[in-house]
Amino acid sequence: GVQTCALPISEKRINKKIAVIGSGPAGLTAAYFLAQKGYEVTIYEAEAQPGGMLRFAIPAFRLPNEVVDRDIKNITALGVHIKTNHRVQKLAELKAAGYEVIFLATGAQEPRRLKVEGEELDGVVTSMDFLKDVNLGRKNIDLTGKTVMVVGGGNVAIDSARVAVRLGAARVFIQYRRSREQMPAFDWEIKEAEEEGVEFQYLRVPVKFIGQQGKVTAAESIRMKLGAPDASGRPRPVPIKGSEHKILVDFVILAIGLTPSTHPFQAELELNKDGSVKVDPETLQTSLAYVFAGGDAVTGPSMIVSAMGQGKQAAQAIDAYLRGEDLQNFRRAKPMPAVPREKVLERQKYHTRLAPVPRKE
């Protein structure tokens, strides 16, 4: 079908160049609103295709790639340029190239490691690499008849497990070091995974992976009990001595969290201890006046809607900054009325229901 663009292209062209680093939900949203105001916007994306987490971290059964492509076409139709395969390492270089403002939206894609023996074995992968490889068709991952272990308790762990089911795995189980009550994944996600045959093993964690000829063949796990609350306010899982046990596995997916992808910029920008970019909460301006930041690079892994919200907030602040307003007095535009969380989840559920689920006979 022919794609027509029904979006208003800004009549007033403002002769000021803005660079956006990252083409995920925050970067795309900021670019969209800035282009509508008439600015010249270029997005730099390290991957071969734009979309960030939308394209490669969310399984196609939840967010079809055509939907992502359509959203991106709507943004390029406004005159936004997207340079793919272009990893920015220095902000100063973009400034020198004539960009007056930079919006940093690199996301949080650095996987956390378990730091256990055997983690480097073939067949032990991070959820980020696994989902990327599947979504971008980079590797032909065939899990037919295999036993797959997923480690972690968030939505990414569930997504990874449900993708493994779709790739033909005979058995998929998730190990989470706390109890079901503490599991951060959405309840309905857990239920849908259970319906698809995913097993859940609570209060367990792998302490080492065992392999033959460099390929993973088993995991040694330990049982946990819940102790006193830790910094997150949740009971801290404590290993039970002598409860180690082996489980045969063919493939392991580590989904134990992600950290902000901000490492290249630590020499130029002030970062928080966790690697997130330090920003003014109202304007999203960083320690460098001409650099603003938003999305997961600021918040850590979060919801797509909050990344989009920050993209819009940044666009408003960048516009005020380029018009020479004093950002001390900047107050973001009134936020749109919040949609109750239940409504958002209902809508997400509806969309995932449209996706085909393989039924095991």
Side-chain angles (χ1 to χ4, degrees):
V2 179
Q3 286 223 335
T4 54
C5 169
L7 294 172
I9 291 189
S10 174
E11 291 309 311
K12 49 180 201 310
R13 278 273 173 255
I14 303 169
N15 198 8
K16 285 185 176 170
K17 284 165 60 179
I18 299 169
V20 173
I21 307 175
S23 65
L28 290 174
T29 307
Y32 173 81
F33 285 107
L34 288 164
Q36 274 199 330
K37 289 182 197 297
Y39 292 102
E40 224 182 292
V41 185
T42 304
I43 300 177
Y44 289 89
E45 169 55 55
E47 292 290 333
Q49 291 171 288
M53 288 296 210
L54 300 170
R55 187 179 302 279
F56 46 68
I58 300 175
F61 73 86
R62 285 174 27 118
L63 177 64
N65 267 333
E66 307 75 87
V67 177
V68 180
D69 290 335
R70 192 183 62 213
D71 285 350
I72 289 165
K73 269 205 174 122
N74 284 340
I75 290 163
T76 52
L78 289 175
V80 173
H81 303 287
I82 302 180
K83 293 188 176 183
T84 51
N85 286 319
H86 199 118
R87 188 178 294 280
V88 176
Q89 302 281 8
K90 277 204 170 67
L91 302 169
E93 282 175 11
L94 286 180
K95 181 82 166 113
Y99 291 103
E100 299 201 28
V101 166
I102 297 166
F103 179 55
L104 185 66
T106 45
Q109 294 165 34
E110 300 304 313
R112 288 210 174 95
R113 296 278 170 186
L114 266 179
K115 300 190 177 75
V116 300
E117 190 189 323
E119 209 171 350
E120 70 302 319
L121 286 166
D122 189 19
V124 180
V125 300
T126 67
S127 54
M128 209 57 233
D129 286 341
F130 172 68
L131 292 170
K132 249 188 201 178
D133 286 342
V134 173
N135 273 4
L136 301 177
R138 287 204 297 217
K139 281 187 188 152
N140 182 21
I141 302 173
D142 183 10
L143 298 177
T144 308
K146 297 201 163 148
T147 298
V148 177
M149 171 191 216
V150 179
V151 184
N155 290 320
V156 178
I158 307 277
D159 276 349
S160 301
R162 293 180 71 188
V163 169
V165 169
R166 284 161 176 74
L167 293 176
R171 180 184 180 210
V172 180
F173 64 93
I174 291 178
Q175 280 200 351
Y176 177 54
R177 64 201 186 109
R178 301 177 198 261
S179 67
R180 160 104 190 218
E181 291 66 56
Q182 276 104 34
M183 203 165 183
F186 296 142
D187 215 45
W188 59 270
E189 285 268 15
I190 298 171
K191 286 200 183 88
E192 286 190 8
E194 283 173 338
E195 278 169 27
E196 288 172 24
V198 175
E199 299 165 45
F200 287 81
Q201 301 181 355
Y202 299 104
L203 293 164
R204 288 200 214 180
V205 73
V207 287
K208 108 185 212 201
F209 298 109
I210 299 149
Q212 281 170 0
Q213 278 110 41
K215 189 160 180 15
V216 71
T217 55
E220 186 177 299
S221 289
I222 193 164
R223 293 180 195 278
M224 313 290 270
K225 58 172 190 262
L226 294 178
D230 64 11
S232 74
R234 297 179 297 174
R236 181 193 293 281
V238 183
I240 299 169
K241 276 213 174 74
S243 67
E244 291 88 346
H245 54 286
K246 277 199 187 101
I247 307 163
L248 295 177
V249 294
D250 303 299
F251 197 73
V252 178
I253 303 165
L254 303 176
I256 51 174
L258 297 163
T259 58
S261 314
T262 53
H263 187 71
F265 311 111
Q266 59 184 359
E268 295 174 280
L269 282 186
E270 220 176 300
L271 303 180
N272 295 309
K273 257 208 191 81
D274 61 0
S276 58
V277 184
K278 206 174 199 167
V279 295
D280 176 292
E282 282 293 330
T283 62
L284 300 179
Q285 193 173 31
T286 68
S287 57
L288 271 180
Y290 65 89
V291 180
F292 294 71
D296 288 2
V298 167
T299 60
S302 182
M303 307 269 283
I304 286 169
V305 279
S306 70
M308 291 174 74
Q310 286 206 327
K312 185 175 185 181
Q313 184 184 337
Q316 291 162 355
I318 288 168
D319 178 47
Y321 171 81
L322 286 172
R323 283 190 285 106
E325 283 182 25
D326 179 5
L327 288 187
Q328 292 297 322
N329 311 316
F330 175 84
R331 287 288 164 268
R332 57 188 129 158
K334 278 201 177 68
M336 295 197 278
V339 181
R341 187 184 159 107
E342 292 63 52
K343 270 264 192 305
V344 175
L345 295 183
E346 247 323 299
R347 203 172 298 164
Q348 283 185 337
K349 261 204 257 206
Y350 168 74
H351 287 300
T352 46
R353 272 195 219 111
L354 306 179
V357 174
R359 282 273 171 252
K360 291 231 171 83
E361 291 311 319

